[in-house]
Every structure is written in C-alpha cells, then in structure tokens.
C-alpha cells in the first residue's frame, strides 16, 4: 500500500493563499474602476448641470432682451396692418418682419401668459422704441379699421400707368413716382432684400424700369404718414409673395424671373382667358426655340412709349431693345405688370407639340386662331377683324 505525500497540505495552503490574493486584487481593481466610473458620472452630471445653467441664462437673457424695444432710439412711426383672421403667432411674425419687436416667439408666449385675447384687424401706429408691453397694449386698444386711401393697380398696367394711379389716390405726384423708379440706390436696396425676385432684373442691361413687371396688380392701402417707398415696398413684397411658389419651377425650367415676367406681360395683353394665355405662351416658346423674333405689337408700343390703334412699318422698325419685331429673344424685360394667371400660363404652356408659330385674335368674337405656317396665318388673318397686340 502506497504512502501519501507529506507535502500535499503545503500545496493546498499555497493554492488557498493564491486564491485569496487574487480575490483581494480583483476587489481592489473593482473599487478602482468604480472610483473612475463615479468620477466620469460626476463630470457628466456636472457638465449637464452647467449646460442647463448656461442655457437657462441664455434663455433668460434672450427673453429679457426681447421684452425691450427693438431700437430704443428709433421713434419713427411704423404703420402695421393686422389682417383679418391673423393668429397671435402670425401677428408676432408681422411685427418682427416690420422690425417693431425682436422676437415673434417671445411675443406669442407673452400674449399667452398675459391672457390677451385675439387682437382686432386694422392699422396700428407703432414705433421700434416701444417695449413689448407697450406694443401689446397698443394692439389691445385696437387700431384704425380703414386706410386713408386705396391704390388700385390693374392687371397689365405699366409703370407709367401705376404712377398715374398712385398720383390719383395719394398726395405723391407721378413725377415723384417715376423718379423713384429710376433711383438706382433704392433699386439695389430692394434687390438686396428680395434677391430671388430682382437679381435677374438688376443683371439685365437696357432696362427702362427695373420694377416693370414687379408691381403686383392689387389694391394697396395708403395711410397718413406712409412714404412713397413704403407704398412701393408693399407692391414688390406682394410680387415676391406670389412668386415664392414658382422660384423652384423657374430654376428647374432653366428660366429667370425676368424672362418669365417678360413673357407673362405679353401673354397678359395678348390673351383674354387662361386657356388662350397658356396656348399663346406655347407659341412664344416655340418661336424662341426656332430662333424667331416674338413679333408682338405690345413690344413695339412699349418701345414707342405710347399706345396706338394702328402700327405702321416705320413703327415696327423703331430702334429699341424692347422692339421684339426686330430683336430676337426676350428683350430687356417686362412690358407691364402681369397677373398670376399669366405667370402660370408661362410656366405651364400648352399645345407646344402642335408646333404653332402664329396666332391671331378675332376682334368681334375674341376667338384666337393658331397656325403652324405663315401662309396659313396670312389666310386666317385676312378673313377676320384684328386689333393691335393680338396677332403674330
């Protein structure tokens, strides 16, 4: 029978000590790791708390600043129109856009927190030097319900005709208006404010009036204390508002606002309804693609700066970049201020596949006839009564 080794208890003792040592070391490592993790957590919490404090301070300063006047030194009266049905949020945006208050968002929260009901529509005389509380009180008191005068800009009206309408409805003279239309410093200011709208006009040479085509046909309110620039600003702003829906489409078609409004101004006077305007726009594009001049009487009369019942050969030969009988392409720019319907017609022309290059309108019936060839056009033209501006 074999004997047990006498060293076995010593080995077991050593193994036990080793295990205990390893366990202690592992415990120490875990404690150290926990300390590191705790420090990281504390740092993260500290940073988050600091960020919350910073954001809170920034928010407090922003709100506090927004409660103060937009410009405490500016006592110029700004007449603000609050339209029918405008929400408090929309009113805040209007006030911020007019630079009467600093923040539309703070205005909205201020109105809610002070339990103001919806404000009345009308005109309000406000100042940038007013605090938000003062502006809100003014709104709560109610505004004037009507403007002093109303300026009607008809569809297809030229800048000259707009000047006549302004002079008729306000104390500004037509000369004052036309002088402003030639004010290049003012034009550059508008182009800076509305770059998408006016950049292509400002880039074009030989333009008679850079705002021809950009004074949207509508009725505009004029009230006491309003400057001529403010009145014109309203017209340009309205045009930009209408064109906002079309900027992407214009770029996608590789056109410019100037080109679109130029064709729209011709379509405005050539067609009497949406269907014919879209077809006429198609004829114009076909002629441009074919390298043919547009040959619109509207362009000749604009070049002559007069309206005529009958145009003669000498009229058609007038030297002017606006004469599209002699010059190919779009010319310098629009010939009048077109309606939305004409703008849509240019952006959505119809019957282009029919290859129409000519059209003529019957003066008696108003019906428009379209032709592919000059011979067909001449034959049609000889059998109907036409008027200037209705034939190509």
């Amino acid at each position: 029978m074999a004997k047990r080794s006498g060293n076995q208890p010593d080995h077991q003792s050593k193994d036990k000590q080793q295990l205990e040592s390893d366990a202690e070391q592992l415990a120490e490592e875990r404690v150290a790791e926990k300390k590191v993790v705790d420090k990281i957590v504390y740092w993260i919490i500290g940073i988050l708390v600091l960020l919350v404090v910073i954001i809170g301070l920034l928010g407090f300063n922003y709100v506090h600043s927004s409660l103060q006047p937009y410009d405490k030194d500016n006592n110029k009266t700004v007449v603000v129109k609050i339209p029918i049905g405008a929400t408090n949020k929309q009113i805040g945006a209007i006030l911020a856009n007019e630079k009467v208050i600093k923040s539309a968002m703070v205005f909205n929260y201020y109105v809610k927190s002070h339990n103001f009901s919806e404000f009345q529509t009308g005109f309000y005389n406000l100042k940038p030097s007013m605090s938000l509380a003062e502006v809100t009180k003014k709104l709560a008191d109610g505004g004037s319900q009507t403007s002093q005068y109303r300026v009607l800009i008809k569809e297809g009206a030229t800048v000259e005709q707009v000047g006549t309408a302004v002079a008729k409805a306000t104390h500004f003279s037509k000369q004052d208006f036309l002088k402003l239309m030639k004010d290049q410093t003012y034009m550059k200011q508008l182009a800076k404010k509305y770059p998408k709208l006016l950049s292509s006009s400002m880039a074009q040479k030989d333009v008679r009036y850079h705002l021809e085509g950009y004074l949207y046909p509508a009725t505009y309110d004029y009230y006491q204390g309003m400057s001529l620039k403010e009145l014109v600003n309203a017209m340009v702003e309205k045009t930009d508002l209408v064109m906002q829906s079309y900027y992407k489409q214009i770029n996608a078609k590789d056109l410019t606002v100037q080109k679109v409004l130029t064709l729209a101004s011709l379509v405005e006077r050539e067609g009497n309804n949406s269907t014919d305007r879209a077809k006429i726009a198609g004829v114009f594009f076909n002629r441009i693609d074919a390298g043919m001049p547009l040959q619109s009487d509207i362009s000749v009369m604009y070049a002559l700066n007069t309206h005529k019942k009958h145009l003669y050969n000498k009229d058609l030969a007038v030297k002017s970049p606006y004469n599209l009988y002699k010059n190919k392409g779009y010319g310098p720019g629009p010939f009048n201020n077109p309606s939305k319907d004409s703008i849509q017609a240019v952006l959505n022309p119809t019957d282009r596949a029919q290859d129409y290059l000519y059209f003529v309108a019957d003066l008696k019936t108003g019906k428009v006839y379209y032709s592919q060839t000059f011979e067909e056009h001449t034959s049609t033209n000889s059998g109907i009564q036409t008027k200037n501006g209705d034939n190509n």
Side-chain angles (χ1 to χ4, degrees):
M1 183 173 173
K3 293 183 180 179
R4 294 182 180 178
S5 172
N7 293 329
Q8 187 173 0
D10 292 336
H11 286 302
Q12 292 178 348
S13 177
K14 289 180 179 180
D15 292 341
K16 184 177 180 181
Q17 290 176 358
Q18 184 63 42
L19 290 172
E20 290 176 351
S21 176
D22 291 343
E24 289 178 0
Q25 184 176 355
L26 181 60
E28 290 176 356
E29 290 176 354
R30 287 179 176 175
V31 170
E33 289 176 357
K34 187 176 182 302
K35 289 181 179 180
V36 172
V37 171
D38 288 344
K39 286 183 178 180
I40 294 174
V41 171
Y42 292 149
W43 270 103
I44 292 174
I45 293 174
I47 291 172
L48 290 175
V49 170
L50 182 61
L51 286 174
V52 170
V53 171
I54 292 174
I55 292 173
L57 289 174
L58 290 175
F60 174 80
N61 289 334
Y62 175 76
V63 172
H64 179 73
S65 174
S66 299
L67 294 174
Q68 307 308 310
Y70 184 90
D71 183 355
K72 64 179 182 180
D73 298 321
N74 187 352
N75 290 309
K76 180 182 178 181
T77 298
V78 178
V79 182
V80 178
K81 179 182 178 181
I82 302 302
I84 297 174
T87 64
N88 290 334
K89 187 175 182 180
Q90 290 171 331
I91 293 173
I94 292 171
L95 295 173
N97 185 58
E98 293 291 342
K99 296 183 179 180
V100 173
I101 63 173
K102 292 183 178 180
S103 170
M105 180 180 67
V106 173
F107 171 84
N108 191 38
Y109 283 116
Y110 182 87
V111 168
K112 288 181 179 179
S113 64
H114 287 74
N115 297 320
F116 282 101
S117 58
E118 292 186 358
F119 299 111
Q120 296 179 10
T121 183
F123 297 87
Y124 294 83
N125 294 321
L126 305 173
K127 298 179 180 179
S129 59
M130 291 179 172
S131 67
L132 186 61
E134 291 173 325
V135 170
T136 307
K137 185 179 183 305
K138 269 278 190 179
L139 294 174
D141 291 340
S144 171
Q145 296 303 306
T146 58
S147 57
Q148 187 174 2
Y149 302 104
R150 309 197 84 188
V151 181
L152 173 63
I153 307 303
K154 295 182 179 180
E155 296 176 345
T158 64
V159 159
E160 301 271 349
Q161 292 168 331
V162 173
T164 301
V166 169
K168 184 178 180 180
T170 73
H171 68 275
F172 300 114
S173 68
K174 182 175 180 179
Q175 289 71 25
D176 291 334
F177 181 82
L178 295 181
K179 183 179 179 181
L180 183 61
M181 294 298 100
K182 290 288 190 179
D183 188 335
Q184 292 306 302
T185 300
Y186 175 55
M187 293 301 115
K188 290 177 182 178
Q189 290 172 349
L190 284 176
K192 186 177 181 180
K193 187 174 183 180
Y194 303 104
K196 289 184 179 180
L197 179 69
L198 292 170
S199 60
S200 57
S201 174
M202 295 301 292
Q204 185 66 44
K205 297 180 179 179
D206 300 321
V207 176
R208 184 180 297 174
Y209 298 113
H210 281 292
L211 291 187
E212 187 77 84
Y214 296 85
L215 305 175
Y216 193 77
T219 300
Y220 296 92
D221 295 303
Y222 171 76
Y223 28 79
Q224 187 175 6
M226 188 177 190
S227 69
L228 181 56
K229 284 185 179 181
E230 288 173 324
L231 179 58
V232 175
N233 288 350
M235 299 177 189
V236 177
E237 182 179 8
K238 178 65 175 178
T239 304
D240 183 62
L241 183 64
V242 170
M243 296 301 294
Q244 288 289 340
S245 303
Y246 306 124
Y247 287 138
K248 288 185 179 179
Q249 189 177 356
I250 290 172
N251 290 333
K253 289 178 175 289
D254 197 26
L255 292 169
T256 65
V257 174
Q258 185 81 336
K259 289 179 179 179
V260 169
L261 292 181
T262 297
L263 290 188
S265 68
L266 294 176
V267 167
E268 180 71 37
R269 296 286 298 277
E270 301 279 19
N272 296 319
N273 57 67
S274 299
T275 300
D276 279 327
R277 284 173 175 170
K279 287 185 177 181
I280 291 170
V283 173
F284 284 145
F285 279 117
N286 287 346
R287 292 179 73 91
I288 289 174
D289 287 350
M292 301 172 64
L294 297 183
Q295 293 187 326
S296 169
D297 290 353
I298 304 300
S299 70
V300 176
M301 286 186 282
Y302 191 86
L304 294 170
N305 201 20
T306 187
H307 180 79
K308 286 189 172 185
K309 290 184 178 180
H310 302 285
L311 291 176
Y312 301 96
N313 288 335
K314 65 176 183 178
D315 296 324
L316 302 182
V318 62
K319 291 184 178 180
S320 169
Y322 281 99
N323 182 359
L324 299 187
Y325 260 86
K326 292 187 63 176
N327 302 295
K328 297 179 180 180
Y330 298 84
F335 302 90
N336 57 64
N337 295 282
S339 63
K340 185 176 181 180
D341 185 58
S342 294
I343 295 169
Q344 290 176 332
V346 171
L347 292 174
N348 300 283
T350 57
D351 288 358
R352 290 206 61 188
Q354 298 294 328
D355 295 329
Y356 291 134
L357 294 174
Y358 305 89
F359 67 88
V360 60
D362 189 321
L363 179 60
K364 291 184 178 180
T365 66
K367 183 177 180 180
V368 181
Y369 298 87
Y370 302 88
S371 306
Q372 296 173 335
T373 66
F374 181 71
E375 290 74 20
E376 183 183 356
H377 172 65
T378 303
S379 176
T380 303
N381 196 14
S382 63
I384 63 175
Q385 183 176 356
T386 62
K387 61 180 179 179
N388 280 335
D390 282 343
N391 52 29
N392 275 45

